[in-house]
Amino acid sequence: MQSSIGVGFLGAGPVTQAIHLPTLARLGAAFTVRHVTDIDADVAAAVAGRAGAAHSTSVEALLDDPAVEVVAICSPNAFHAEQVIAACQAGKKAVLCEKPLAMSAAEAAAIAAVSAETGVPIFVGAMHSFDPGWRAAVAQWGALPRTSHTIRSSIVLPPNSRFEDVATEVLTRQPFPAPDYSDVAVLPGMTHAGVMGLAIHDLPLIRSLLPRYDDLRVIDAKFLAPFGYRILFVAGGKSIELHAVMSQTWQPDWALEVFADDQVLNVEFAPSYVHAGSAVSRLSTSESTQVFGPAEVNGYEVEWRELAAVVHGELAPPDLSTLVDDVRFALTLADASADAVRSTPSAEDAA
Amino acid sequence: MSTSSEHVRTALATLPLSFPDPAGIVFVDGVPGWPVALLHAMGSNPAGIVLVHPTPVDFADPLAMDPATIVVVDSPWASNPATGLAARAFRAVATDRSRVECRVVVEPSCDFSTALLDQLVLIRAVLGPVTKLQVQHVSDRTLYAEGLTDTSVAIDFSIVRTTATPASAALRLLTDDGSVELQIPSGDTAQPARLITVGPDGAVLAPTQYEAGHRSSLRRLRELHAAGSADGLADLRCLRADVVTTTAALGDYERSTFR
Ligand SMILES: NC(=O)c1ccc[n+]([C@@H]2O[C@H](COP(=O)([O-])OP(=O)(O)OC[C@H]3O[C@@H](n4cnc5c(N)ncnc54)[C@H](O)[C@@H]3O)[C@@H](O)[C@H]2O)c1
């Protein structure tokens, strides 16, 4: 039997509690949670207590802990890059970084450099890329990356807490500060956050359909209240629409659609947090529709299983240049969308 | 394959009591040049005229004709019998802060100007006339546009060409705590539209109506006739406004990209 892999968590918020601990519990002996770090000592202690792990409030304490073989980075986005780099430099066996991998091109470049130097495998917790329902469609989609001409991502979500609360019993939550809409930087900032926080789940999938994105041009971008966006852009000769709204609805609706002249792919994802199995993909031609999924296994499970296989030397690590390119693509789009929102006259200005 | 115009003709056979004399109904196919054919038809004093799936060409003369002549415009999405219920559902929740997505999938042979006009006719039926329209992007296969109705509801239009799925239209309005969504399958069969309203208590699928849009257009013609409509050209006047809006927006876009 293979030995259980020791995991350390940097950041023990709702994602660690509702997503990763239940996933690792399902994977049984493959992983053991050894150490939990959070800047909030009470959260670190309580979450560590659930898993019978050590706890601390410093990154160094976790990285110095020899029981920690794999580091899962679940802190706020701003800390991801520096913590990925530190974990690689500490010589850990692998790093799983929650999305997004980085928040600037410079951070992405620094990660690429340290990974090349240390050879530590890096995973990004973009669970849709690992989703069996998505992957099954990819395996069958034939020429779709070449022939597709139009892509649409639409995400309608209830508040996260509704899903976190059925995925676990969450200890504490960071309050969501009420935005000051009189500040002109707020809407561009929230649009940027929407791309880097929400659209980011599907941007690697979209990028896998684009021959290039150095020609990316945002046609229109809008922030949608209370939180969301609608962004139209072209890249690699394709027309792309990103749409998202988080509201008080109870009904989630998370879809990715890809159109070619003779083929249409429609993927329906379950919301984050809930462990509701895989996506369901429908690949249609004028003659027939093939349906893939739902499978019981979701993307979170696959990302951890593959990480275990990489640690055990059974699988090649993810291609880091792909991951770095994914985050560069996301940043290019987020920056261009924020610029577009910034340069759109507000309703009052226009009046 | 049958044209829409043939489909409407054959739909007459499904209304044998309403139209005991089918010969009295004239069908004008909405291919470019239809205004001339329409004018000609109006001149023969028919019991009613169905203008089938008009392309956006400007016209004036037919509007100067005798308003006692009833002209019904048959449009792929707006003629669906579900639009009546949909209008109630959408208008009940639409405010000047609402955004409605109007998305259609069309055959590759369908030109964008007609597909956009069809969308405007649908929005008029469900929410009200689109008074402002701006085309944002046109490629070989995709068009995006943004509009505003007379009650300031914002509309995000998209048109995508493919053969992989049948033509269809979808309207969606997301509210603070739910949504209203209408999905209309291609108008030539009686496959029903689905109107779903989501609110805090759950989702309600409106009763489905297995009637093709063409038959619904004919019933409307019959009803206008029976009621002795004083203004048989109302449909045409609305169509003209939508044609002008559509062609102006496409013209502006062409000029802006040409520059
Ligand atoms: N894959 C998914 O489905 C998914 C869903 C939501 C969020 N996320 C990502 O997961 C990450 C965590 O999300 P969350 O909602 O739990 O975030 P959060 O901000 O609510 O919680 C993060 C935790 O990290 C702690 N923390 C803050 N600074 C820290 C630091 N420097 N080092 C260590 N811990 C620190 C906080 O005290 C908090 O307990 C984010 O990057 C987010 O983008 C992923």
Side-chain angles (χ1 to χ4, degrees):
Chain A
M1 214 184 86
Q2 282 170 330
S3 60
S4 184
I5 299 168
V7 181
F9 280 96
L10 287 176
V15 165
T16 297
Q17 296 169 43
I19 293 176
H20 295 300
L21 294 183
T23 302
L24 293 184
R26 280 201 304 283
L27 294 180
F31 294 95
T32 307
V33 181
R34 296 293 198 170
H35 198 127
V36 176
T37 295
D38 199 289
I39 52 163
D40 182 327
D42 293 340
V43 170
V47 174
R50 292 176 179 188
H55 58 90
S56 66
T57 54
S58 87
V59 175
E60 293 71 34
L62 182 137
L63 296 180
D64 287 345
D65 184 342
V68 173
E69 298 168 277
V70 167
V71 180
I73 295 164
C74 304
S75 54
N77 298 353
F79 303 105
H80 289 184
E82 65 182 56
Q83 293 180 348
V84 168
I85 290 169
C88 288
Q89 286 169 341
K92 296 298 176 185
K93 290 188 176 163
V95 176
L96 170 67
C97 179
E98 262 308 335
K99 49 79 189 168
L101 179 60
M103 287 300 282
S104 72
E107 286 182 352
I111 290 171
V114 82
S115 166
E117 183 189 312
T118 62
V120 175
I122 297 173
F123 280 70
V124 175
M127 67 284 186
H128 289 175
S129 324
F130 296 92
D131 190 293
W134 160 256
R135 285 186 169 179
V138 169
Q140 298 297 322
W141 71 12
L144 194 65
R146 186 173 49 77
T147 56
S148 55
H149 50 69
T150 307
I151 302 170
R152 172 176 180 264
S153 155
S154 175
I155 307 172
V156 179
L157 286 176
N160 282 345
S161 57
R162 294 201 197 166
F163 297 124
E164 294 163 4
D165 288 342
V166 289
T168 192
E169 291 164 330
V170 174
L171 278 172
T172 51
R173 287 193 177 93
Q174 305 292 324
F176 189 71
D180 170 12
Y181 290 111
S182 67
D183 179 349
V184 292
V186 162
L187 294 189
M190 287 171 77
T191 306
H192 198 280
V195 173
M196 294 309 287
L198 200 49
I200 191 95
H201 286 288
D202 292 342
L203 290 178
L205 285 53
I206 291 172
R207 197 178 74 79
S208 71
L209 291 153
L210 302 179
R212 52 189 281 206
Y213 68 87
D214 56 351
D215 59 346
L216 186 151
R217 182 169 60 85
V218 168
I219 297 160
D220 187 45
K222 285 189 176 66
F223 173 79
L224 302 184
F227 184 79
Y229 49 79
R230 181 168 186 266
I231 299 164
L232 299 179
F233 70 103
V234 287
K238 308 194 182 190
S239 310
I240 302 147
E241 176 188 355
L242 303 179
H243 176 266
V245 174
M246 292 185 83
S247 70
Q248 292 299 319
T249 187
W250 57 267
Q251 192 180 53
D253 185 358
W254 192 321
L256 179 68
E257 290 175 289
V258 183
F259 298 87
D261 283 355
D262 57 354
Q263 221 182 356
V264 172
L265 171 63
N266 177 293
V267 191
E268 281 172 34
F269 293 101
S272 304
Y273 305 100
V274 294
H275 309 276
S278 79
V280 177
S281 297
R282 291 182 177 76
L283 199 52
S284 302
T285 66
S286 58
E287 266 87 52
S288 64
T289 297
Q290 284 177 281
V291 183
F292 305 96
E296 284 197 1
V297 173
N298 64 36
Y300 300 126
E301 271 174 62
V302 177
E303 77 194 25
W304 279 104
R305 281 184 187 183
E306 292 195 356
L307 186 144
V310 167
V311 168
H312 294 305
E314 298 157 358
L315 187 72
D319 177 17
L320 192 77
S321 64
T322 302
L323 301 179
V324 167
D325 240 5
D326 282 343
V327 79
R328 285 202 178 114
F329 172 55
L331 285 162
T332 306
L333 181 66
D335 291 346
S337 301
D339 284 348
V341 169
R342 203 173 288 120
S343 60
T344 308
S346 71
E348 295 88 67
D349 293 346
Chain B
M1 223 165 78
S2 313
T3 64
S4 289
S5 177
E6 284 159 16
H7 280 292
V8 197
R9 272 171 226 265
T10 52
L12 259 186
T14 67
L15 294 162
L17 301 183
S18 298
F19 296 101
D21 176 18
I25 307 301
V26 177
F27 297 90
V28 174
D29 205 317
V31 293
W34 62 259
V36 176
L38 178 63
L39 210 55
H40 183 77
M42 290 171 103
S44 65
N45 269 335
I49 298 176
V50 184
L51 171 59
V52 184
H53 200 185
T55 48
V57 283
D58 200 5
F59 62 96
D61 295 348
L63 292 173
M65 299 292 282
D66 179 2
T69 311
I70 298 172
V71 181
V72 162
V73 175
D74 179 77
S75 184
W77 320 120
S79 295
N80 190 288
T83 48
L85 276 181
R88 258 184 270 163
F90 277 87
R91 286 174 207 219
V93 295
T95 71
D96 58 6
R97 292 186 304 113
S98 306
R99 293 195 83 81
V100 173
E101 296 156 88
C102 180
R103 300 184 292 117
V104 301
V105 170
V106 297
E107 289 266 317
S109 61
C110 180
D111 68 280
F112 282 147
S113 62
T114 305
L116 189 56
L117 174 64
D118 295 344
Q119 287 182 300
L120 260 60
V121 176
L122 172 62
I123 294 295
R124 177 186 287 276
V126 173
L127 279 156
V130 174
T131 49
K132 284 188 188 152
L133 181 66
Q134 192 195 358
V135 175
Q136 298 167 298
H137 173 68
V138 182
S139 74
D140 290 353
R141 315 299 209 302
T142 314
L143 178 146
Y144 299 119
E146 183 180 19
L148 211 56
T149 67
D150 61 340
T151 54
S152 295
V153 178
I155 318 284
D156 290 319
F157 295 97
S158 76
I159 304 172
V160 183
R161 287 177 172 151
T162 182
T163 56
T165 56
S168 65
L171 282 187
R172 182 169 75 167
L173 191 169
L174 299 173
T175 62
D176 291 343
D177 58 5
S179 58
V180 183
E181 198 164 347
L182 174 68
Q183 292 156 12
I184 310 178
S186 162
D188 288 337
T189 75
Q191 192 190 341
R194 291 167 66 83
L195 171 66
I196 299 172
T197 305
V198 176
D201 296 332
V204 177
L205 170 65
T208 48
Q209 301 181 59
Y210 281 80
E211 180 185 47
H214 302 312
R215 188 177 192 270
S216 175
S217 296
L218 286 168
R219 272 197 301 107
R220 206 157 57 80
L221 175 64
R222 170 71 196 140
E223 280 155 22
L224 290 170
H225 214 272
S229 172
D231 183 7
L233 304 184
D235 261 25
L236 267 191
R237 258 197 307 282
C238 294
L239 176 69
R240 166 124 207 287
D242 292 339
V243 165
V244 169
T245 307
T246 303
T247 47
L250 284 165
D252 286 348
Y253 180 79
E254 260 169 44
R255 276 187 293 279
S256 73
T257 52
F258 190 65
R259 252 188 288 131

